[in-house]
Amino acid sequence: MDEFYAETDLLLADQASMDLSTKYRSGANGTTEGRSSTVSTDDELLDIGDGRMEALGNWADLEEMEPKYSSSSNLMDTLEDLPSGIGQYEDFHTIDWLRDIARDRMRHRHITKKRQEGCWEKVLSAHDAWSGWVCVLLVGVAAGLCAGVIDIGATWMSDLKEGICKEAFWLNKEQCCWSANDTTYDDEGCSQWNTWSEILGAQTGKKAAAGGYIVKYLLYVLWAVVFAMLASLFVHSFAPYACGSGIPEIKTILSGFIIRGYLGKWTLLTKSVGMMLAVSAGLSLGKEGPFVHVAACCGNIFSYLFPKYGSNEAKKREILSAAAAAGVSVAFGAPIGGVLFSLEEVSYYFPLKTLWRSFFCALAAAFVLRSINPFGNDHLVMFYVEYNEPWYLQELIPFIFLGALGGLYGSFFNKMNIAWCRYRKNSKLGQYPIVEVLGVTLVTAILSYPNKYTRMNTSELIRQLFSRCGAEDKTMLCDYNRNSTSLSSYTSSTVAGDEVYTALWMLFLGLLFKGLITIFTFGIKVPSGLFIPSMAVGAIVGRIVGIGVEQLVVRNHDNPFFQNMCQSKQFCTITPGLYAMVGAAAALGGVTRMTVSLVVIMFELTGGLQYIVPLMLAVMTSKWVGDALGKDGIYDAHIALNGYPYLDSKKEFTHTTIAADVMRPRYWRYGAAQRNDPPLCVITQDSMTVEEVEAIFRDTSHNGFPVVLSSESQYLVGFVLRRDLMLAIANARKNQEGVVSNSIVYFSSQVPNNPNDPAPLKLRKILDMAPITITDQTPMETVVEMFRKLGLRQTLVTHNGNRQLYNKGKFYFKQEKKRLSVGRLLGIITKKDVLRHVAQLGNQDPESILFN
């Protein structure tokens, strides 16, 4: 008999495995044809339900139940029209991608079928077809408008810390000097620009004095503190979600997580105003990363104008992916880089049509921003480079060196910033966010003012570091011993003057300051981006290395190694600005671990397409070095720190565990129970009352419940979400006459017609009759891939009659023999269970996963 049962187990396990593989293949191509292609009408659902019951009738004791179902096969559902809210999700929960995509396909099939009924239906069908393009167009236009306003406002308020234009206070310093036709934009060369020391009478004329310097210093610190305090108060009072860059949360939301209010109108307004104030305060942060959050808010708001996207969370994420591309497009003037950023860094589900719409959305955003012209230079790019000098093979050595430094800095920054954020989270410091903001701002303003390179706007600093020294440049970095009468001398390298070395020391001090202060700044409760500070650190290192290489070549121009780089001592063509570009890309790549999108963003950002090979080499070196010291980029690290349920598709699962190791509850395996889990909470198909179901709501907090034939058989019928079930019962109690606490809840296609019983409550319409199921012996490697590729919220675990389970749990199996335990429901695995299992195997705290 043992051999007979063992053979039976193997046959049935093979059949269950075939069922699983068939279901998995049906969804592996990003579709749900296996679930929904044949389920288009209510009658077909009835046929499927009846077919499932007939199949199960051959296995279990369904013959005894047949008389009970023979009376009212054509009884209409209690809930003819489902109540509002069915199919939606609670806050901080994960969506069911397959379910939402199947709902959208059923909606599309319904519209296609109705299209033949008249002209109005054809118009509605056409509107449904073009609504996606219209939506992303509106998102792109809104993102471009927001970016233009933010850029103009941030520039004006940044200059307000130093002075004001007396003829037109609404002009920033550069525009003020343009209006006066002044050739320079410093305090001494711009006649219309008045510093605060001049306005307050501490300085007469344009020549600086000791008293005037102190007044400007104090006013600079005061304005910085005021701007930072306003930014933190706005965030604290109106939209706490507006702090940070928003990219970790956007990644999590695009993976299928719900965070209500994170993309709302108040968050959009607060983030926009807070970005201007935080950047104007002089903090070591940027506004470019938060542009992704701003654009995503626009995408979320406009999606509600189109029910196709507003009522379907999976479809809405297509709009949000396009919005993320528009955010990077307006942040850097890089529409193609924005599309690649959305694809590589933030999006979880990115079909081909989303790629096209993302490109269109980024194009619209870039066009609107170019029309506004916030930089006033007729260039869409921020740091346009006007040189095209060649680079040489010998320079690949310092380029690789810069890439390695970028990887080292990125790994160091990520570890230190996460450690500080974890300390903030677990200490009393986190209870006083406004005090922390003011403290960081005060330290930043006091230490940055004496150094001109840390005092200036970070974007302006990067622009200077990227630029080539021309005849009109009188900065310290351009103090070279050149022949001022020969224009050709400005296109070649020569011996540096004393002020260049002074500038290098100031840049080195600025490097130490910005590298350290950014660790404590990123994560405070104001809108803060990381792109520009990281690029600034890398650009400083690159410029220092570039000047060093330049002077090395100039002083050793006769060396055969540098022979092709110099025609003579006066004509060596080394471009320190190129090294600053490469260093900026390497540092940003080391922090974020971006690759392809970063390279495209950099050459769109600068217009330096001919330097793509050095950029690629430095970025790849940065990623290799950074990955060797730690796999996670800064955004993935913050996702893990916050406990968001993000299942990274780029990481491999190489362990040999099976589903029985992870499912809840854990039953007998290897002869002993592994933990004291409560029994699996299920709802029976046709034997529980409304009162009993409501008792389950009170006693448990599960997000959904398996529906089984009976408490004894435990054969799976379907899966129902807690939210849908609660709404359906509440709606029936309110609107359906005769539904009371003793009413029986039916999830079957047929209900008995007994006039002496309370009115039945039929809820088969909210039942998922084809939930994804696996067996308890399924490898977790397969389970993890299913959660990644199919976007599952949960999967149900059934017993496959494994022989090892029979030998080790002999009594348990014998109790199930008479009901053929193959296919019996054992447990459930949720996305949170998978994430905790992965964290535990990676020697991390599984309790750090906080959300469902």
Side-chain angles (χ1 to χ4, degrees):
M1 290 299 294
D2 287 350
E3 288 79 3
F4 169 76
Y5 285 124
E7 291 177 4
T8 304
D9 287 346
L10 291 175
L11 289 173
L12 294 173
D14 290 341
Q15 181 63 41
S17 178
M18 290 174 62
D19 294 341
L20 169 64
S21 62
T22 302
K23 180 177 289 186
Y24 186 68
R25 284 196 302 270
S26 70
N29 296 325
T31 68
T32 54
E33 293 299 331
R35 296 184 62 189
S36 62
S37 61
T38 60
V39 183
S40 58
T41 65
D42 204 49
D43 293 336
E44 291 173 0
L45 281 174
L46 281 170
D47 294 338
I48 291 175
D50 294 338
R52 173 179 294 186
M53 292 182 63
E54 288 176 7
L56 290 174
N58 296 327
W59 287 48
D61 302 329
L62 296 183
E63 295 82 4
E64 301 175 353
M65 305 179 189
E66 281 190 21
K68 193 165 100 175
Y69 291 93
S70 60
S71 56
S72 55
S73 59
N74 59 351
L75 183 67
M76 299 299 292
D77 285 356
T78 301
L79 300 177
E80 188 61 33
D81 295 321
L82 296 178
S84 60
I86 293 290
Q88 302 302 311
Y89 302 95
E90 298 284 354
D91 198 9
F92 297 113
H93 284 73
T94 303
I95 72 171
D96 189 335
W97 286 88
L98 292 181
R99 183 189 187 199
D100 283 359
I101 293 174
R103 287 174 54 209
D104 181 70
R105 287 183 174 173
M106 292 181 67
R107 180 198 60 80
H108 180 70
R109 280 195 293 269
H110 176 73
I111 292 176
T112 303
K113 184 178 179 181
K114 298 279 289 183
R115 184 173 55 187
Q116 309 301 326
E117 297 181 1
C119 295
W120 178 246
E121 283 71 19
K122 291 182 179 179
V123 172
L124 293 178
S125 178
H127 171 72
D128 181 74
W130 71 54
S131 61
W133 294 98
V134 175
C135 186
V136 296
L137 174 63
L138 295 175
V139 173
V141 171
L145 290 174
C146 290
V149 173
I150 291 170
D151 284 334
I152 294 172
T155 304
W156 179 76
M157 285 193 287
S158 295
D159 291 340
L160 189 63
K161 298 199 304 293
E162 300 181 13
I164 196 169
C165 187
K166 61 182 180 181
E167 295 295 333
F169 69 90
W170 58 87
L171 298 179
N172 60 39
K173 186 175 182 179
E174 189 174 8
Q175 294 169 339
C176 182
C177 298
W178 285 349
S179 64
N181 293 322
D182 292 319
T183 57
T184 60
Y185 304 140
D186 55 14
D187 293 343
E188 297 181 7
C190 185
S191 58
Q192 295 295 326
W193 182 259
N194 283 18
T195 63
W196 291 114
S197 59
E198 295 174 8
I199 295 173
L200 297 178
Q203 175 181 334
T204 57
K206 292 293 181 181
K207 294 297 181 181
Y213 179 84
I214 294 175
V215 171
K216 288 190 289 186
Y217 197 159
L218 293 176
L219 266 296
Y220 179 91
V221 174
L222 178 62
W223 277 114
V225 172
V226 169
F227 288 151
M229 182 175 65
L230 290 175
S232 60
L233 286 175
F234 270 120
V235 170
H236 184 267
S237 302
F238 298 107
Y241 284 150
C243 65
S245 71
I247 294 180
E249 288 75 14
I250 297 298
K251 288 186 67 171
T252 307
I253 290 172
L254 288 177
S255 73
F257 192 55
I258 302 291
I259 307 179
R260 302 290 181 197
Y262 198 84
L263 302 177
K265 56 183 181 298
W266 280 108
T267 303
L268 171 62
L269 180 61
T270 306
K271 190 93 173 185
S272 301
V273 176
M275 285 165 60
M276 293 187 283
L277 292 169
V279 172
S280 304
L283 291 167
S284 184
L285 47 81
K287 61 182 183 299
E288 286 65 29
F291 272 137
V292 177
H293 189 184
V294 168
C297 289
C298 296
N300 179 67
I301 293 170
F302 281 110
S303 68
Y304 285 102
L305 299 178
F306 306 89
K308 173 181 177 180
Y309 298 102
S311 60
N312 191 305
E313 293 292 343
K315 294 293 291 181
K316 182 190 294 182
R317 273 143 185 79
E318 297 179 12
I319 301 298
L320 297 182
S321 293
V328 175
S329 175
V330 296
F332 296 108
I336 300 176
V339 176
L340 294 176
F341 173 82
S342 180
L343 172 62
E344 178 185 2
E345 188 64 21
V346 298
S347 293
Y348 202 84
Y349 173 66
F350 205 82
L352 191 58
K353 62 181 177 181
T354 302
L355 176 67
W356 300 333
R357 288 173 180 169
S358 298
F359 181 78
F360 180 64
C361 187
L363 171 66
F367 176 78
V368 172
L369 185 64
R370 171 64 181 81
S371 302
I372 297 175
N373 193 22
F375 306 118
N377 56 7
D378 293 329
H379 290 302
L380 184 60
V381 298
M382 294 174 61
F383 314 121
Y384 183 73
V385 295
E386 297 178 345
Y387 49 83
N388 55 7
E389 280 76 14
W391 57 274
Y392 302 93
L393 290 178
Q394 296 94 320
E395 293 182 282
L396 292 179
I397 297 175
F399 292 155
I400 293 175
F401 175 68
L402 286 174
L405 289 180
L408 290 172
Y409 167 73
S411 180
F412 168 78
F413 175 85
N414 291 353
K415 286 180 168 46
M416 293 298 101
N417 179 255
I418 292 299
W420 178 253
C421 290
R422 184 175 290 110
Y423 170 77
R424 176 194 296 124
K425 188 176 181 179
N426 298 326
S427 66
K428 290 186 177 181
L429 181 63
Q431 302 175 11
Y432 305 98
I434 297 179
V435 175
E436 183 189 12
V437 170
L438 295 180
V440 172
T441 305
L442 189 63
V443 172
T444 302
I446 292 174
L447 296 181
S448 64
Y449 187 84
N451 189 335
K452 61 177 293 186
Y453 293 113
T454 55
R455 180 171 69 244
M456 69 173 58
N457 185 280
T458 309
S459 296
E460 178 61 29
L461 170 63
I462 296 175
R463 185 181 291 109
Q464 285 195 19
L465 295 174
F466 282 9
S467 65
R468 180 187 63 183
C469 293
E472 71 282 359
D473 292 315
K474 305 299 181 183
T475 62
M476 297 173 65
L477 281 174
C478 295
D479 180 33
Y480 286 89
N481 299 326
R482 290 192 171 103
N483 182 4
S484 59
T485 60
S486 174
L487 292 178
S488 61
S489 65
Y490 289 97
T491 62
S492 61
S493 301
T494 185
V495 178
D498 293 337
E499 288 193 355
V500 171
Y501 295 104
T502 303
L504 290 180
W505 276 109
M506 296 176 67
L507 285 174
F508 179 74
L509 294 176
L511 170 67
L512 296 178
F513 172 72
K514 282 192 171 294
L516 293 176
I517 200 64
T518 308
I519 294 174
F520 303 97
T521 304
F522 186 70
I524 61 176
K525 300 304 180 181
V526 295
S528 57
L530 197 57
F531 285 170
I532 290 299
S534 300
M535 290 176 63
V537 169
I540 292 174
V541 175
R543 188 77 183 204
I544 293 174
V545 172
I547 293 176
V549 172
E550 177 190 46
Q551 296 305 304
L552 177 65
V553 173
V554 168
R555 297 178 188 275
N556 298 274
H557 64 280
D558 295 329
N559 192 304
F561 187 74
F562 304 126
Q563 188 172 5
N564 64 322
M565 305 171 70
C566 294
Q567 298 177 7
S568 65
K569 181 178 180 180
Q570 287 76 25
F571 291 96
C572 297
T573 53
I574 305 298
T575 310
L578 171 59
Y579 288 79
M581 290 169 51
V582 172
L588 184 55
V591 172
T592 63
R593 308 298 159 83
M594 294 160 52
T595 53
V596 179
S597 58
L598 175 57
V599 172
V600 176
I601 287 172
M602 286 303 299
F603 78 69
E604 285 189 283
L605 188 67
T606 61
L609 182 59
Q610 66 271 30
Y611 303 125
I612 190 170
V613 173
L615 291 172
M616 292 174 65
L617 185 63
V619 168
M620 282 310 305
T621 304
S622 174
K623 178 171 176 58
W624 286 335
V625 173
D627 285 347
L629 300 175
K631 293 293 185 181
D632 288 339
I634 187 63
Y635 301 126
D636 292 329
H638 273 271
I639 288 173
L641 177 67
N642 293 324
Y644 296 138
Y646 183 77
L647 193 59
D648 195 347
S649 59
K650 297 188 286 290
K651 294 182 179 179
E652 295 184 1
F653 185 87
T654 58
H655 303 279
T656 58
T657 52
I658 62 175
D661 298 322
V662 183
M663 73 175 188
R664 293 179 300 160
R666 295 188 187 177
Y667 287 132
W668 293 88
R669 183 166 182 253
Y670 306 122
Q674 293 196 348
R675 69 181 181 195
N676 296 323
D677 281 346
L680 182 64
C681 185
V682 298
I683 295 176
T684 58
Q685 181 180 232
D686 53 15
S687 60
M688 296 185 69
T689 64
V690 171
E691 185 178 16
E692 290 173 334
V693 174
E694 291 176 335
I696 292 178
F697 295 155
R698 293 191 299 269
D699 298 338
T700 67
S701 59
H702 305 310
N703 296 323
F705 306 96
V707 178
V708 297
L709 279 178
S710 66
S711 301
E712 294 77 21
S713 69
Q714 292 286 306
Y715 282 108
L716 183 64
V717 174
F719 190 84
V720 62
L721 294 178
R722 178 193 187 96
R723 174 186 172 88
D724 292 355
L725 189 56
M726 292 179 67
L727 288 173
I729 292 177
N731 182 74
R733 280 185 173 274
K734 181 179 180 181
N735 300 320
Q736 179 64 32
E737 184 178 355
V739 175
V740 295
S741 297
N742 292 332
S743 297
I744 302 295
V745 178
Y746 287 93
F747 293 95
S748 57
S749 59
Q750 297 175 323
V751 298
N753 187 8
N754 190 342
N756 297 324
D757 293 337
L761 178 58
K762 188 178 180 185
L763 301 179
R764 188 183 56 81
K765 280 190 174 181
I766 66 172
L767 179 66
D768 181 4
M769 301 184 66
I772 299 294
T773 59
I774 59 174
T775 69
D776 54 343
Q777 298 300 307
T778 304
M780 277 304 298
E781 183 178 5
T782 302
V783 176
V784 171
E785 284 302 307
M786 291 174 65
F787 272 88
R788 286 173 175 167
K789 301 294 177 58
L790 302 181
L792 300 184
R793 189 182 191 186
Q794 71 280 317
T795 182
L796 302 175
V797 184
T798 59
H799 178 43
N800 74 342
N802 183 273
R803 185 174 183 177
Q804 184 181 36
L805 185 64
Y806 165 70
N807 291 332
K808 297 296 183 180
K810 191 170 185 180
F811 175 77
Y812 174 72
F813 182 81
K814 282 186 175 180
Q815 291 296 100
E816 299 297 319
K817 282 194 302 182
K818 63 182 180 181
R819 289 193 298 269
L820 290 176
S821 65
V822 177
R824 183 181 188 272
L825 181 65
L826 289 182
I828 187 172
I829 297 177
T830 65
K831 189 176 182 179
K832 185 175 182 179
D833 296 327
V834 173
L835 288 165
R836 286 187 168 180
H837 182 65
V838 172
Q840 187 175 17
L841 294 177
N843 296 321
Q844 301 173 2
D845 182 14
E847 299 302 321
S848 63
I849 309 299
L850 302 178
F851 304 103
N852 296 314

